[in-house]
Structures are given as C-alpha cells and as structure tokens.
Amino acid sequence: MKKDVCVIGAGVAGLVAARFLRPHFNVTILERTHSIGGVWRYNKGSVGVEERKEWTTPMYRNLRSNLPRHLMSFSDHDYPDTLPSFLGHDDVMEYLESYCEQFRLREAIRFGAAVTNVEPIGDGAWSVTTGTGWLWSSFGTARS
C-alpha cells in the first residue's frame, strides 16, 4: 500500500517532485493560487489583488530567461525545437502546462490551498493545515 505524501507548491520544484514521487506514493499538491507555475506566472499587473487569489511574482511582461532552453528542460520532457533559445515566461508556462498534462499532475493539485501550518504529529506523521481550515495528515511530507 502506498503512503500519502504532500507537496507544498505547484511551481517548478513542486511539479517535478510530485512527478517523481507519484509512482511510489499517493501525492497531493497544495497550491495557494489558482494556477501552476510559481514565479513563472505573470499576473499582468494584479499586484496586491489578494481577494481574487492572485499573488505577485517577480515576473514582468518582457522577461527573458538568462539560460538557454536546453539547460532549463527536464530530463524527461523537452522544450519544442521551434522556441527561441532564451525563453519568455509564456513559453515556460506552456511548457509547465504540457508537463502537467504528460504526467497527469493536475489531478493531484488542490488549488486555493494556502498552507498555514505544518507540524509533526508523531511516528513520522505530519499534519498540514490550509487557510480554509482543510486538514491533511499523512506519514510523510515532501516540501518543494
């Protein structure tokens, strides 16, 4: 029987962690916003619009990565060859969406679940509470 594991955040690290944990564990990804992508999500000027569950990121409209795409790709999922070497945030977001689709990660994500507390509850088990009061507990927690 697979143990339950919680990954906090559906950014790049959280998605990759969940992808590699899923063959061995029942994975739940808790994401405070309503989208994947973490810092790669561009909010188009929604600074401070918390009531719509949008948070600021360091992303700006014309940002280009300073790493070539072949260094940014995951070992099991390539960027399309048609993209430029230095990617914009929209290219990265499309890539992350396709990664979620390829590995069926979206079904494991609970959007709008801002984690407010994580604490051990004994015997290797953890309790994770979200801002909505939702409580998750398990025998192991992986943080991204």
Side-chain angles (χ1 to χ4, degrees):
M1 184 167 104
K2 291 182 180 181
K3 291 183 178 181
D4 294 331
V5 174
C6 175
V7 174
I8 300 172
V12 173
L15 295 174
V16 172
R19 181 262 185 270
F20 284 97
L21 287 168
R22 283 187 88 191
H24 312 286
F25 299 94
N26 297 317
V27 176
T28 300
I29 305 169
L30 300 177
E31 170 55 46
R32 73 175 176 164
T33 69
H34 294 281
S35 173
I36 67 162
V39 298
W40 286 100
R41 183 178 44 255
Y42 173 57
N43 290 339
K44 298 179 185 153
S46 63
V47 175
V49 188
E50 196 166 321
E51 61 274 5
R52 289 195 330 229
K53 303 294 184 217
E54 295 178 23
W55 283 265
T56 60
T57 72
M59 201 52 49
Y60 53 92
R61 186 177 48 154
N62 295 321
L63 181 124
R64 288 272 175 215
S65 139
N66 62 350
L67 294 173
R69 74 170 188 267
H70 71 277
L71 292 178
M72 292 180 59
S73 67
F74 305 142
S75 61
D76 54 357
H77 191 74
D78 290 327
Y79 276 96
D81 289 334
T82 56
L83 291 176
S85 285
F86 297 95
L87 305 168
H89 60 82
D90 52 341
D91 299 321
V92 176
M93 286 299 294
E94 285 180 26
Y95 176 78
L96 294 175
E97 290 287 353
S98 70
Y99 188 75
C100 278
E101 185 176 325
Q102 179 178 345
F103 296 106
R104 298 178 43 207
L105 296 175
R106 202 168 269 286
E107 62 195 40
I109 304 172
R110 282 188 60 112
F111 291 104
V115 172
T116 57
N117 190 48
V118 178
E119 61 184 83
I121 55 176
D123 293 328
W126 292 82
S127 170
V128 179
T129 308
T130 68
T132 60
W134 186 68
L135 178 67
W136 184 92
S137 56
S138 173
F139 294 104
T141 301
R143 284 179 267 150
S144 65

